[in-house]
Amino acid sequence: MKFGIIREGKNPPDKRVVFSPQELLSVKENHPEATFKVQTSPIRVFKDEEYQALGFEVTEDMSDCDILFGVKEVPVNDLIPNKTYFFFSHTIKKQQYNKKLLQTCLERNIRLIDHETLVDKNGHRLIGFGRYAGIVGAYNAFRAFGIKYELFNLKKAEELKSQKDLIERLLKPYLPPIKVVLTGTGKVGNGAKEMLDAMRMKQVSIDQFLNKDFDEPVYVHIDVEDYYRRTDGKKGDFEDFKSHPNEYESDFEKFANAADIFIAGHFYKDGSPKILTKEMLNNPNNTIKVVADISCDIDGPIDSTIRVSTIADPIYGYYPRENKEVDIDHPAAIVVMAVDNLPCELPKDASEGFGEMFINHIIPAFFNNDEDGILERGTICENGKLTKRFDYLSDFVNE
């Protein structure tokens, strides 16, 4: 079995990689029966020479590899027929912009396994970059607040090397006694929480957050049952919400009337109700000044997220009265950070963390005949056909 690490070909350039040189060496040492190649790349966070120094062949040609590992979508023209590919394809929600990508995988007899579809038998995702999205998203929330109110000007996360560097910057600026509301208790939400705790921000209860004033910055960490309520008045929970999102409505306005910064790391499912509406933001009682939407769903649960922002230009102003974008200096502007590829700003940390998860959860499947069905469940298409689990995409690829 021959594995290949392909370079990232999507624009804007992505410096991440599935395995760092040391992680790839670990896989090789544990599985000497396998061979590995690395495609040359001028942008990867780890240099070609770092792989070569550990004995890996670095080359342009990947045509003799059986299995190819990437991070983001592979450009259609680069897809090699009759191979197995791993990457985030962004096709399973019928994303129109990647329809040609999935059609080409079918046409070229490619077995496509999406990192997002690698789940355990209970449907829980095994790998992802969510933690690093939360880490960078939280940092960017405070950076946006500092810029809006001219209190401090933090360096961009992409100009720093590690999470440790981000934390060091957050420990320096003096924050006024603001209140931060953080949603979500998955990898994204907990990644953001890591940063709030590391910068020594005090966590408080919901009751304290809503009803008490503080002389220091504080935050509250809430989940589905805190910011949604069932429309029939019955008690809800996360599992019930996942099954019946149409039976819920937002209960977030009380937080919008108490928080200065909203860091959104929530779970969102198509059909879910809004969390933060333009009416809440336009209410005279609203106190939110910055929305850091890490989840970043356009036309989703956060009305102020009217477009995706970029690492190069990460923030914009939102004017709720007219539901439109304005300059961040507009006196009524709420600052929005809605970057959808936040882990790219910490490519070394994110790559190493992703590789560790891949080694622990996915690599064994290649050498134990996929005894837990991980690769089988994750396969979107093979042998020129969609698999049974993803047959719902048939109308999409045949349009």
Side-chain angles (χ1 to χ4, degrees), residues 56-119:
F56 294 107
E57 179 185 358
V58 177
T59 180
E60 178 67 29
D61 184 15
M62 294 279 108
S63 61
D64 61 339
C65 294
D66 306 299
I67 298 166
L68 297 164
F69 296 120
V71 177
K72 299 298 286 286
E73 301 99 312
V74 175
V76 168
N77 292 337
D78 293 344
L79 288 167
I80 305 172
N82 308 312
K83 304 294 182 186
T84 294
Y85 275 91
F86 285 75
F87 56 84
F88 286 105
S89 70
H90 300 291
T91 58
I92 61 173
K93 294 181 182 178
K94 301 185 179 182
Q95 291 98 319
Q96 285 292 329
Y97 58 91
N98 279 331
K99 180 166 68 173
K100 181 63 177 174
L101 173 63
L102 185 52
Q103 289 172 331
T104 304
C105 288
L106 290 163
E107 291 164 5
R108 297 186 185 177
N109 193 37
I110 286 168
R111 184 185 187 188
L112 173 60
I113 301 178
D114 194 309
H115 296 309
E116 191 174 350
T117 61
L118 291 165
V119 297

Side-chain angles (χ1 to χ4, degrees), residues 69 86-87 113-120 123-128 354 358 361-362 365-366 370 373-379 389-390:
F69 296 120
F86 285 75
F87 56 84
I113 301 178
D114 194 309
H115 296 309
E116 191 174 350
T117 61
L118 291 165
V119 297
D120 65 18
H124 298 134
R125 282 185 62 180
L126 293 170
I127 58 173
F354 188 85
F358 207 100
H361 299 297
I362 312 302
F366 294 106
D370 194 24
I374 292 169
L375 303 182
E376 180 184 1
R377 282 190 296 272
T379 300
R389 186 164 178 246
F390 295 96

Side-chain angles (χ1 to χ4, degrees), residues 311-325:
I311 291 173
D313 191 13
I315 59 177
Y316 56 87
Y318 173 72
Y319 186 33
R321 181 175 296 178
E322 298 183 13
N323 191 37
K324 70 176 185 180
E325 181 176 342

Side-chain angles (χ1 to χ4, degrees), residues 16-20 23 69-71 86-88 115-116 118 125-132 347-362:
R16 291 174 296 171
V17 65
V18 174
F19 299 113
S20 71
E23 287 170 335
F69 296 120
V71 177
F86 285 75
F87 56 84
F88 286 105
H115 296 309
E116 191 174 350
L118 291 165
R125 282 185 62 180
L126 293 170
I127 58 173
F129 287 100
R131 177 187 169 217
Y132 294 93
K348 184 176 183 294
D349 281 10
S351 296
E352 290 173 342
F354 188 85
E356 181 181 359
M357 288 184 283
F358 207 100
I359 289 170
N360 291 337
H361 299 297
I362 312 302

Side-chain angles (χ1 to χ4, degrees), residues 100-357:
K100 181 63 177 174
L101 173 63
L102 185 52
Q103 289 172 331
T104 304
C105 288
L106 290 163
E107 291 164 5
R108 297 186 185 177
N109 193 37
I110 286 168
R111 184 185 187 188
L112 173 60
I113 301 178
D114 194 309
H115 296 309
E116 191 174 350
T117 61
L118 291 165
V119 297
D120 65 18
K121 62 183 179 181
N122 297 315
H124 298 134
R125 282 185 62 180
L126 293 170
I127 58 173
F129 287 100
R131 177 187 169 217
Y132 294 93
I135 287 168
V136 178
Y139 178 86
N140 284 356
F142 296 108
R143 182 174 182 271
F145 185 85
I147 291 171
K148 169 67 177 176
Y149 293 100
E150 299 180 349
L151 294 174
F152 46 83
N153 196 345
L154 293 168
K155 278 189 172 184
K156 284 187 174 182
E158 66 171 339
E159 297 173 10
L160 303 171
K161 291 184 177 181
S162 67
Q163 180 188 10
K164 182 173 177 286
D165 293 333
L166 303 189
I167 292 168
E168 286 178 359
R169 297 306 191 284
L170 290 177
L171 287 169
K172 290 179 182 178
Y174 172 75
L175 279 172
I178 59 172
K179 291 182 174 181
V180 179
V181 57
L182 167 63
T183 55
T185 56
K187 290 182 173 64
V188 173
N190 285 328
K193 185 180 188 303
E194 274 186 50
M195 298 299 285
L196 302 182
D197 292 339
M199 61 189 287
R200 301 174 193 147
M201 185 174 286
K202 181 178 180 179
Q203 183 174 1
V204 298
S205 69
I206 291 174
D207 181 66
Q208 289 173 318
F209 189 86
L210 297 177
N211 299 304
K212 186 177 177 182
D213 293 326
F214 295 88
D215 58 5
E216 63 181 319
V218 300
Y219 80 95
V220 66
H221 192 188
I222 61 175
D223 206 5
V224 168
E225 62 271 19
D226 304 313
Y227 57 82
Y228 281 135
R229 62 186 169 217
R230 285 188 59 94
T231 54
D232 59 9
K234 295 180 181 177
K235 184 173 176 58
D237 58 41
F238 183 62
E239 292 304 319
D240 181 58
F241 170 74
K242 281 202 301 183
S243 302
H244 310 286
N246 58 313
E247 296 179 9
Y248 284 75
E249 65 184 2
S250 177
D251 193 24
F252 188 78
E253 187 160 24
K254 57 193 177 188
F255 296 102
N257 294 343
D260 298 284
I261 297 176
F262 173 24
I263 301 176
H266 52 258
F267 167 82
Y268 177 68
K269 180 179 180 180
D270 287 343
S272 299
K274 301 277 189 182
I275 297 174
L276 177 64
T277 67
K278 56 182 178 291
E279 288 79 16
M280 292 180 196
L281 291 170
N282 196 42
N283 187 309
N285 294 320
N286 170 67
T287 57
I288 290 177
K289 303 169 182 68
V290 172
V291 177
D293 189 357
I294 304 170
S295 296
C296 196
D297 293 292
I298 307 304
D299 297 323
I302 310 297
D303 272 351
S304 54
T305 305
I306 53 178
R307 69 170 174 87
V308 171
S309 56
T310 64
I311 291 173
D313 191 13
I315 59 177
Y316 56 87
Y318 173 72
Y319 186 33
R321 181 175 296 178
E322 298 183 13
N323 191 37
K324 70 176 185 180
E325 181 176 342
V326 294
D327 191 271
I328 63 169
D329 292 328
H330 187 291
I334 292 160
V335 179
V336 177
M337 190 289 303
V339 176
D340 66 352
N341 59 341
L342 288 164
C344 295
E345 297 199 61
L346 273 187
K348 184 176 183 294
D349 281 10
S351 296
E352 290 173 342
F354 188 85
E356 181 181 359
M357 288 184 283

Side-chain angles (χ1 to χ4, degrees), residues 21-60:
Q22 286 294 335
E23 287 170 335
L24 197 58
L25 181 62
S26 171
V27 178
K28 181 180 178 181
E29 289 175 344
N30 289 324
H31 302 284
E33 68 273 32
T35 55
F36 302 87
K37 289 175 68 173
V38 179
Q39 191 171 30
T40 183
S41 171
I43 61 167
R44 188 182 291 129
V45 66
F46 301 103
K47 305 300 182 188
D48 290 351
E49 294 77 17
E50 295 178 70
Y51 290 95
Q52 290 171 323
L54 296 179
F56 294 107
E57 179 185 358
V58 177
T59 180
E60 178 67 29

